[in-house]
Amino acid sequence: MSKITVYETTRFPNPARVRAALAEKNATDQVDFIEIDVMAAQHRTPEFYAINPMGTVPVLRTADGQFISESTAITEYIDHQFEGTPLTGRTAEERAEIHMMQRRAENLVLDAATSYFHHATPGLGPTLEINPCEQWGTIQKANAQRGLEYFDQHLQSRDFVAASQFSMADITLFYGLGFADFAKLEIPDSLVSLRAWRDTMSKRPSLGG
Ligand SMILES: N[C@@H](CCC(=O)N[C@@H](CS)C(=O)NCC(=O)O)C(=O)O
């Protein structure tokens, strides 16, 4: 049987989420990686659209040849495929809370910062940014700033984003903050709980610590 393959782009936030999930499971060496050069538009070719019609990385190919896109779906697969830290919860309550909070981390931080970057800044450049809408980007910038405040408050009384344990919700928020930094939407100094949470998370080996 062939190995699992992950199509990724180095230093991009969504592929980093999948790397973190694999690292939590000590499974990185059980996977082959294929680099997709987004800046050269390798994700906008007929070959790539055939494996992910959304034209985004990451994509995982199972050992049986099924293609899975969306970082959360890939993380679900990794969570069930490998032993190690449970990333998507065990009980019905944990699973629901982790799903809910990771979606908030996407919606309020990672996706908001990404939309700001693609729509209200030069983004990845004129060749790749084919439909920018500055007004949408500006709205998303304000949403991201509110998202940082929301998570600061949320983390005042918690060590982890969801279910009192490390999970994919922490992974999403961590890389959301990384991308927000990159887009120059840094965490204000006043958001001490969010900053402290990020410092703690950044020491985790799976998150680069
Ligand atoms: N919701 C998707 C988002 C994937 C995504 O947007 N990936 C970025 C790289 S981090 C991408 O492929 N961008 C290509 C582009 O913007 O053209 C996921 O969770 O995987």
Side-chain angles (χ1 to χ4, degrees):
M1 193 184 277
S2 59
K3 265 169 105 172
I4 293 169
T5 304
V6 170
Y7 298 75
E8 64 169 5
T9 306
T10 308
R11 288 188 298 278
F12 277 53
N14 288 294
R17 294 163 71 185
V18 168
R19 282 271 185 176
L22 288 166
E24 283 289 338
K25 298 286 190 180
N26 289 318
T28 307
D29 60 0
Q30 295 183 53
V31 171
D32 286 332
F33 294 92
I34 292 180
E35 180 76 9
I36 300 297
D37 188 346
V38 162
M39 298 311 292
Q42 277 182 358
H43 60 309
R44 303 245 178 111
T45 58
E47 294 76 19
F48 195 81
Y49 283 128
I51 67 170
N52 179 12
M54 306 302 287
T56 56
V57 283
V59 177
L60 180 145
R61 182 187 181 279
T62 68
D64 292 337
Q66 182 182 347
F67 289 102
I68 302 169
S69 57
E70 294 302 321
S71 303
T72 47
I74 295 171
T75 303
E76 289 272 0
Y77 176 84
I78 291 168
D79 204 21
H80 285 82
Q81 188 68 19
F82 299 107
E83 300 292 322
T85 322
L87 297 171
T88 57
R90 281 164 291 206
T91 66
E93 289 79 7
E94 286 174 4
R95 292 180 62 76
E97 188 181 339
I98 290 167
H99 185 127
M100 174 180 78
M101 291 308 300
Q102 100 72 35
R103 186 65 193 121
R104 286 186 195 170
E106 277 183 340
N107 211 352
L108 299 173
V109 180
L110 178 57
D111 291 355
T114 303
S115 295
Y116 163 65
F117 173 76
H118 288 301
H119 291 280
T121 81
L124 299 177
T127 310
L128 291 172
E129 304 295 357
I130 45 180
N131 273 318
C133 173
E134 191 173 346
Q135 192 181 5
W136 173 237
T138 305
I139 290 168
Q140 287 289 71
K141 177 182 185 182
N143 285 339
Q145 287 164 331
R146 275 195 291 275
L148 298 182
E149 286 167 17
Y150 167 79
F151 276 104
D152 180 66
Q153 199 174 30
H154 181 74
L155 290 163
Q156 275 169 20
S157 52
R158 294 171 184 81
D159 293 332
F160 300 102
V161 171
S164 305
Q165 62 192 277
F166 182 82
S167 73
M168 79 169 162
D170 295 284
I171 295 175
T172 304
L173 182 59
F174 185 81
Y175 286 105
L177 295 178
F179 192 81
D181 277 352
F182 173 72
K184 303 204 175 3
L185 295 173
E186 293 94 349
I187 308 173
D189 288 345
S190 57
L191 302 187
V192 291
S193 299
L194 186 56
R195 283 178 162 274
W197 173 87
R198 178 156 72 168
D199 283 352
T200 304
M201 287 296 136
S202 66
K203 296 186 179 78
R204 246 183 129 84
S206 66
L207 301 178

